[in-house]
Amino acid sequence: MEKAQNVFSDNKDNNLWKFILNELKPKGKIFTPFNIISFPIIIVGLVIIFIRFRDGIGAVTNLTQEIPWGLWIGFDVVTGVAFAGGAYVLVFMVNILNMKKYQPILRVTVLNGFLAYLFYSAALLLDLGRPLKIVNVIIGNNYGVSSVLFLVGWHFLLYMLALLLEFSPAVAEWLNARKLRKVLSTIGLGAVIFGITLSVLHQSGIGALYLMAIDKIHPLWYSEYLPLQFVVASVFAGIAMVILEGSISHKVFSYQLESDSHHQHNSILIGLAKICAGALFAYFALMVIVFVHGKDWQHLNSGWGSWYLLEMIGFVILPMLLFYFSYRHKSIFFIRLAAIITLLGVILNRMNVSIIVYRWYDVDRYVPTWQEFVVTLTIIFIEIWVLRWIIMRMPVLRKPPLWAQGNDH
Amino acid sequence: MSINRRTFFKAMGATAVALSVGKELTASAESVAEGQSELYGVLYDVNRCVGCHGCEYDCAEAHGLEYPDIPKKPPMRKTDDTHLTVVNFHETSKGELPTKIQCMHCTQPACDAACLTQAMHKTEEGPVIWREEKCMGCRYCMISCPFDIPKFEYHSTNPRIMKCDMCHDRLKEGETPACVYNCPEEALMYGKRSDLIREARQRIHDNPEDYIDHIYGEHEAGGTSWLYISPVPFAELGLNTKVQKQSYPGLTKGFISSIAPVDILLPLGLLGIYEATRTKPITEEDE
Ligand code: SF4
Ligand code: SF4
């Protein structure tokens, strides 16, 4: 458990660089199935990214003048941000509502959130035609304050900072920097409060991005409540992701965990299932209200109507019932199943709004190129590599070192 | 705890007030924009246009683009990153009629509101222009424009957003847009938007059998600087008639004006809850 610190304290001259170099070396097996699959994909992905910068976005994507946002925005950003919602929801539960039961999974969730945001920003940069000009938004005098995208961008950026602050105590513990750790935990509450606020706003802002596309998104999916729908969806999307990810990392990193933690983990999952069921119900109720108020029943009588019903019944109502059932029966298997269905449903909904029912009336449909898929996978894989690198070294899943325990806010 | 609850509700009340104030502010901003009568624009009269495609060549020349290659019997074409305006022929109830398409130069443009760097910009004179040094190529303007006008150079390493700019540079030198200047049939007329609307009404009034009683662009998308009059309903000319009558930026104003109050009041609310729950950890039972 204390390997990292041993390395550090063995160095009597406190040579930070030696320590970092040492830590950069891979730990654990190199030829795992995951590595064997992901490594070649990452290499191909990097080549595609190189071509994208050499020949332009059109060289590797199927984007058109009608469909300017494809998989990179629709999946990596619009969907991915919802998946990263678990960080703010859990932070709210643990640090604001004081539900200490969820403390053990807080750090890994915050870390996941931070990395997710970091890599979505990378995806975003790939998609920008003139990425260097992003400085205009950050330091320039060209503030388009009436732009939803501007506000989303800024909330996104600041939230990344908040996440970094929330996670930073773990880094300090890894570096054995006690003073720093103390300073960092005093600004913790501020980071928590602003982090949640920033999240609520950028999660809803992603929905608000599509408000002006009123004529382009199928009326079954468009509503003026898109921002609200998106923020509610981010609650169950984020938690479902926490459930899935927690289950995986629990297997992969089980040696890092104390013996009693499996029982504890199950009780956490059951609690999360209950919250997911509630959030899905809230979403469903919202969708019903939106439908009754503004939508035309006629639309249901078409192929798009069936598609819509599939999304609502198969991927909102079904996982809602499954979560409820698995919570009542404390069935871990069904919780995981429900989480997977929920995640698929979130992908379906976000892909619908951003790609599938976007210009549903067009004859020519946008289908991403294989290069777009590979780049998306590359980004996800590199993220997992980094995540693994950090979990191996910093106190994320395992308990913090003794000196750091008990002085959290 | 009750005190905290009270502060919490106070905060909620303040949010509501802030929201309504925000709405009022944006509402008044809207009416200011509508009251701008000094905007310039162009009136396009389908009755006068013979569809010679001359304006396409003039536009290409004025913007340093290659001449269009127009086949004898041209299919339905769209504007793209090298053709900022095109003239199409449509089979209509009154025979084959030409229609010129280009940026509508909306009075309250969706593209301008969408742009996070102010690269898309509604000038005071009327043209909506794109400014190269600001744009970061996010293409949100393309998502937002109801007329599908901004186009992107997908095969460039330093891509530009391409669209009609009403020849802003020529206007600054006191000239009229290239297409207006060169049109042999005077199908295009440049002037103050309010004068153009008056002129359009006059033409409709004088020859009621030649025109339908509708100026496309007077109210479409909250009003545009480019106006159309025609002998047939505009849907027959392939123009977007499903477009909203209100302005597109208006669709996001509610969201945008709620951001500041949420940014200020949500943290207060969270702090309140934090204080209220700090001493006693919540257990499963009292959730
Ligand atoms: S037509 Fe489109 S590009 Fe032109 S001003 Fe209106 S919103 Fe902008
Ligand atoms: S592509 Fe350029 S002009 Fe269009 S919204 Fe983005 S920054 Fe503005």
Side-chain angles (χ1 to χ4, degrees), chain A residues 376-396:
Chain A
T376 298
L377 279 179
T378 300
I379 290 170
I380 296 172
F381 283 152
I382 299 183
E383 186 193 330
I384 296 178
W385 279 49
V386 173
L387 178 71
R388 191 175 52 174
W389 185 88
I390 295 178
I391 291 183
M392 294 281 215
R393 285 157 184 84
M394 301 183 194
V396 176

Side-chain angles (χ1 to χ4, degrees), chain A residues 77 89 251 308 383:
Chain A
V77 180
V89 179
K251 288 226 167 67
Y308 178 79
E383 186 193 330

Side-chain angles (χ1 to χ4, degrees), chain A residues 174-357:
Chain A
W174 171 58
L175 296 172
N176 217 356
R178 295 174 192 227
K179 280 221 184 82
L180 186 65
R181 168 76 170 73
K182 234 192 192 130
V183 176
L184 287 175
S185 53
T186 53
I187 48 176
L189 181 64
V192 160
I193 286 182
F194 282 101
I196 296 168
T197 309
L198 294 164
S199 285
V200 169
L201 284 167
H202 79 249
Q203 293 283 1
S204 55
I206 300 231
L209 282 181
Y210 288 94
L211 285 176
M212 281 199 280
I214 182 167
D215 314 312
K216 302 182 187 174
I217 293 175
H218 192 284
L220 281 174
W221 281 269
Y222 182 91
S223 96
E224 57 182 305
Y225 295 102
L226 272 176
L228 194 56
Q229 288 171 25
F230 270 49
V231 89
V232 177
S234 76
V235 174
F236 56 78
I239 296 192
M241 198 67 189
V242 169
I243 293 174
L244 185 73
E245 224 164 45
S247 303
I248 294 173
S249 56
H250 232 73
K251 288 226 167 67
V252 178
F253 299 105
S254 60
Y255 65 90
Q256 290 204 5
L257 302 161
E258 329 256 304
S259 50
D260 65 337
S261 79
H262 287 282
H263 174 71
Q264 198 188 14
H265 187 66
N266 285 351
S267 110
I268 288 177
L269 288 188
I270 291 164
L272 292 178
K274 185 172 154 192
I275 296 166
C276 257
L280 278 161
F281 179 74
Y283 182 76
F284 177 64
L286 175 66
M287 294 306 272
V288 170
I289 294 171
V290 167
F291 191 93
V292 173
H293 266 114
K295 294 202 173 146
D296 192 345
W297 291 91
Q298 284 303 320
H299 289 307
L300 289 180
N301 276 329
S302 64
W304 291 115
S306 322
W307 188 239
Y308 178 79
L309 288 178
L310 174 77
E311 184 189 314
M312 289 315 294
I313 296 170
F315 293 95
V316 177
I317 299 178
L318 176 70
M320 174 179 88
L321 296 177
L322 265 182
F323 270 127
Y324 181 71
F325 167 85
S326 54
Y327 158 72
R328 295 300 297 267
H329 292 85
K330 308 218 180 315
S331 157
I332 302 300
F333 171 77
F334 279 106
I335 290 178
R336 289 185 182 145
L337 183 68
I340 291 172
I341 297 176
T342 304
L343 292 175
L344 290 177
V346 173
I347 296 178
L348 182 64
N349 176 258
R350 300 278 164 120
M351 296 307 264
N352 270 337
V353 172
S354 64
I355 294 175
I356 300 174
V357 307

Side-chain angles (χ1 to χ4, degrees), chain B residues 103-106 109-111 128 145-147 149-150 163:
Chain B
C103 172
M104 297 293 291
H105 298 279
C106 309
C111 59
V128 176
C145 169
F147 301 100
I149 290 303
K163 75 168 199 64

